[in-house]
Amino acid sequence: MPVITANKLRDSYDVVIVGSGAGGGQTAYTLTMEGVKVLVLEAGRSFDVQSEVAMFQLPSQAPLRGVATPDKQYGFHDCSINSGWDILGEPYTQAGTEPQNQFRWWRQRMMGGRTNHWGRISLRNGPYDFTPRTRWGVGLDWPIGYDDIAPYYDKVEMLIGVFGTNEGLENSPDSSPGVLQPAPKLRVGELFAQKHGKKVGAHVASIHRAVLTQPQDAETIPAKLHPGNLKAQRILADSMQSRSPCFWATDCHRGCAIRANYDSQTVHLRPALATGNLDILPNAMAREITLNKEGKATGITFIDKTTGREGHAKGRVVVLAASSMESVRLLLNSKSSLFPYGLANSSGRVGKGITDSVSSSLGAHIPAFEGMPIHNEDGAGPHAYVPWTAHAQNRNCELGFPGGYHLEFTSGRQMPTLTTFNGIDSRSGSGTTLFGARLKEDARRLHGCQLGFGAQGTMLPNDGSFCELDPELKDQWGIPVLRFHWQWTDFEINQVRHQQKHIRELLEAMGGKVKPFVEADVLKSMKPGGSVIHEVGGAIMGADAAHSVTNQWSQTWDVKNVFLADGAPFASTADKNPTLTIMALAWRMADHLMDELKKGNI
Amino acid sequence: MSELDTLPRMDRRVALQWMLGAAAAIATRDGRLLAADDTTAPITAKGYGLDPSMVKVYNPGDVWPLTFTQVQRRTTRALCDIIVPSDDISPSGSAVGVPDFIDEWISAPYPEQAKDRPLLLDGLRWIEEEAQRRHQTAFADLSTAQQTVICETFADPAKAKSIDAKAAAFFKRLRDLAFGAWCTTPEGMKAVGYVGNVPTATFAGPPHEALKHVGLA
């Protein structure tokens, strides 16, 4: 079974999955390895990671030195095609007019979805992140705890390959022994922050990223992941042996032709296709989940973008993994007499409870780095981060917000971009625009002396952050579009204030010169909702059908054969990036789905 | 224009109308022919679209036409070499194609570049006017010392005001673009001390001397 065109669809599949990214890829992998017949619908075109990604190309080899344009919104060489915040013909609308009420929605319309340009930061949620109500007295507890998902974190990490260290930290869990790949050495800036950060309570640790630092153990991991399934073990061993470890150069966001880092095609879809149990239909824009008289889903209606014709894919089970908001949109657009307000929406909760990482950033010039001997600092993206460790100080939201945030680094002499030296005049203390010999000298002296941190923190659902169908507007396929409502609460504003003050003291501890904190800048420094591309929720899991859309298995309460495998079931955002948890939940969901199929429950 | 006098069989008014009509027709057909002299003329070319080949190597002019006039090109070339002169370590801006990049930038069919276009084209004119006012010579034909003095005026917000309210903003923008374009070439990268983008078997971490430099060894 291969990548197909609409006329090659089989009459029916066991499972139809919408979306080929982290969630759809993991679900397809788990199911097909166990013999389930699966169809994946992908709205974008096929994409060949081996031949289409630009790894070593320089900015000077791209139009406009590779800067972002409306056509390539993360820059020319970023591994995103037909993607963006604003895509012609695929609009969404905003209910609010104020800047702080805007929600930005990134769509990645290509095979493998957002995993193509993902930052590969793979942090586990900790126990507190599943129990905000119990831990901090606010928000809702998830219907699962850390122990329910921990075995799946181990499995996903072994499958995709994650480097990092076990630090024994509170609420930033260790992996089981032997699961993680060795962490790369830290850079000067990261080590410098490790030393001086201690003065302000910042614990600098190796970050966890989905990048191979050594060949995967194809001898033992396949048997651990697929006990008793020799075919799956053989396919996975082949897949692992076809991946090379990182060669310590090129930006992961550009994609990886040597398959050192994780993307859905490299790790999930390729072995899934090798089982012979997977069809993938690209260029298929899902419109609606179809339902029979008994209230069971029968498949997906889609637009074949190559012909403009509508098609239908039949399946015993439907899994939505189209990205949180796109899956929500599909549910809302699947209206019937049984579900006049959208499929699985008897609770009225579909579209509600959207969260994103709470984020701001700050950087400074570090004088100690001037004149440092030049060396190659490329490595494999960030090697370190600052996990949240102030749990005792924030046990009852004493800091003004629940949870916490981690800090990600920007440091080192990186490949220059068009804008790297735009701020050079103030950095070198010049009141005029530098040019000539002094400009060249200062650029050489100051390059690599900038160090910055980006914070990403906890967000709990609030009543003002949700989406619904726009009553008027439709996209180019005639599908009603989403209208977003967005609102920050005091929790998020307090957290960003804390982020800005803490990053400032951390930079100052390193000798950095930072402009003084200004209260009026707090709101301005907040990244708009959605812009971290960590938006989750909208079909959140819960303990009962009245207050949530799915049960703990990401299975909708209302329609037993509809599941979600992206971020939509997240009941809140942790101070960790969501992708690893999306994959772990998808694997757990797929195991449950197969149990239910075997038992004849769905 | 003297061309009007070479159309004796037409009434001057008729001839003028004819000229304007012809010019408009050409402008519609090929915006770049006339656009460069009119800094407000919109760029009508198309961009590279949502799905360009990412692995291809592109040069300015490959995707949309360049629009500098000869004069603008000469002025830009001279400015790029004052902003980034050559030295023992590295070549000048014009030696690595920076003027072509500036042309690509002001000719690009995207909003950010369209915003820069009038500022940069006006600025090139201010530079020329200043060269004429001081030396009655094109900027490109001045000595390096004379060019530098003019640039120093533009680089200093206090002095640049006397030329135009936006003169300093122009020079800062041109400097950012020219230097950014230069340091993203292999030669420029090397000159600012970037030694990466090379595959290696292992990541060695920082050398001892680097750690020592910041008190970590």
Side-chain angles (χ1 to χ4, degrees), chain A residues 77-381:
Chain A
H77 287 141
D78 176 69
C79 192
S80 305
I81 54 163
N82 296 312
S83 302
W85 304 103
D86 302 298
I87 305 175
L88 194 67
E90 301 200 27
Y92 53 96
T93 60
Q94 310 279 352
T97 51
E98 298 301 313
Q100 66 268 27
N101 298 123
Q102 307 289 300
F103 181 84
R104 304 181 75 208
W105 187 21
W106 180 268
R107 274 76 47 82
Q108 187 100 2
R109 298 272 193 253
M110 62 192 291
M111 188 72 73
R114 302 171 182 196
T115 66
N116 287 292
H117 85 144
W118 178 39
R120 275 82 177 180
I121 292 173
S122 304
L123 304 173
R124 296 181 174 204
N125 281 12
Y128 307 157
D129 301 319
F130 295 102
T131 56
R133 166 70 62 181
T134 305
R135 173 73 193 174
W136 303 303
V138 287
L140 288 172
D141 287 351
W142 296 44
I144 53 171
Y146 177 72
D147 292 342
D148 295 308
I149 195 173
Y152 289 96
Y153 279 135
D154 276 347
K155 291 212 267 189
V156 170
E157 287 168 356
M158 279 191 274
L159 174 67
I160 71 177
V162 174
F163 75 65
T165 54
N166 285 328
E167 301 273 323
L169 294 168
E170 185 179 1
N171 204 41
S172 290
D174 288 351
S175 304
S176 292
V179 167
L180 294 175
Q181 293 234 327
K185 289 183 179 150
L186 304 192
R187 301 178 178 82
V188 174
E190 294 163 337
L191 291 166
F192 194 71
Q194 191 169 54
K195 178 182 173 185
H196 295 281
K198 287 183 186 134
K199 297 176 217 162
V200 295
H203 175 86
V204 174
S206 281
I207 200 167
H208 293 210
R209 294 187 71 236
V211 179
L212 302 186
T213 54
Q214 64 181 26
Q216 283 182 295
D217 183 358
E219 299 288 315
T220 64
I221 292 176
K224 286 180 192 163
L225 296 183
H226 302 287
N229 183 342
L230 292 178
K231 181 185 171 188
Q233 291 175 23
R234 179 181 51 74
I235 290 171
L236 178 56
D238 283 351
S239 176
M240 287 181 160
Q241 280 158 353
S242 75
R243 299 181 64 189
S244 303
C246 184
F247 54 36
W248 312 106
T250 82
D251 180 355
C252 287
H253 295 95
R254 291 176 173 216
C256 193
I258 64 166
R259 310 176 73 215
N261 70 24
Y262 163 87
D263 69 69
S264 173
Q265 289 203 80
T266 285
V267 174
H268 286 138
L269 298 179
R270 195 168 145 137
L273 282 168
T275 64
N277 297 321
L278 176 65
D279 276 352
I280 305 178
L281 179 61
N283 304 303
M285 179 74 192
R287 173 203 284 279
E288 190 178 343
I289 304 146
T290 50
L291 211 62
N292 66 14
K293 277 183 281 197
E294 289 76 45
K296 278 187 73 177
T298 54
I300 296 281
T301 304
F302 63 87
I303 315 287
D304 178 353
K305 287 159 88 170
T306 62
T307 62
R309 279 201 288 272
E310 194 168 281
H312 186 258
K314 261 170 82 175
R316 291 164 67 197
V317 178
V318 167
V319 175
L320 304 183
S323 84
S324 307
M325 298 302 110
E326 204 68 73
S327 292
V328 164
R329 183 181 172 206
L330 259 170
L331 290 173
L332 292 174
N333 272 319
S334 303
K335 291 179 186 170
S336 60
S337 51
L338 215 53
F339 296 105
Y341 304 107
L343 195 82
N345 196 19
S346 66
S347 64
R349 298 296 300 165
V350 174
K352 305 296 194 314
I354 307 173
T355 55
D356 188 20
S357 295
V358 179
S359 183
S360 72
S361 59
L362 192 65
H365 173 75
I366 309 293
F369 297 166
E370 284 184 38
M372 193 195 316
I374 288 170
H375 58 282
N376 183 353
E377 298 194 83
D378 277 1

Side-chain angles (χ1 to χ4, degrees), chain A residues 488-569:
Chain A
W488 299 117
T489 68
D490 286 348
F491 285 155
E492 290 80 54
I493 296 166
N494 292 343
Q495 185 188 144
V496 167
R497 182 184 301 110
H498 195 276
Q499 291 174 357
Q500 287 292 303
K501 287 182 172 173
H502 181 53
I503 297 175
R504 204 169 249 99
E505 63 181 7
L506 178 51
L507 291 168
E508 282 168 353
M510 299 168 73
K513 301 271 178 291
V514 204
K515 54 180 195 260
F517 173 80
V518 180
E519 174 62 30
D521 287 346
V522 170
L523 261 183
K524 272 188 267 174
S525 63
M526 288 182 89
K527 299 226 172 88
S531 59
V532 183
I533 323 187
H534 286 171
E535 75 282 2
V536 296
I540 66 174
M541 58 166 65
D544 67 78
H547 301 99
S548 57
V549 179
T550 82
N551 62 18
Q552 61 152 316
W553 307 104
S554 306
Q555 177 182 27
T556 67
W557 291 110
D558 294 346
V559 185
K560 294 288 175 217
N561 66 338
V562 172
F563 293 77
L564 288 118
D566 48 31

Side-chain angles (χ1 to χ4, degrees), chain A residues 45 69 71 370 378 413 440, chain B residues 48 51 85 110 191-192 197 213:
Chain A
R45 72 163 171 89
T69 68
D71 285 338
E370 284 184 38
D378 277 1
R413 265 185 199 256
K440 291 177 86 170
Chain B
Y48 46 69
D51 190 8
Y110 296 114
V192 298
N197 210 33
H213 183 83

Side-chain angles (χ1 to χ4, degrees), chain A residues 58-66 76-77, chain B residues 48 53 55-66 73 96-105 107 185-186:
Chain A
L58 304 179
S60 56
Q61 294 166 334
L64 303 174
R65 292 305 198 256
F76 192 82
H77 287 141
Chain B
Y48 46 69
S53 164
V55 294
K56 203 181 130 184
V57 173
Y58 296 81
N59 288 303
D62 282 359
V63 187
W64 52 84
L66 306 182
R73 166 156 289 276
V96 294
V98 173
D100 289 340
F101 163 77
I102 304 292
D103 199 350
E104 176 191 46
W105 187 271
S107 309
T185 62

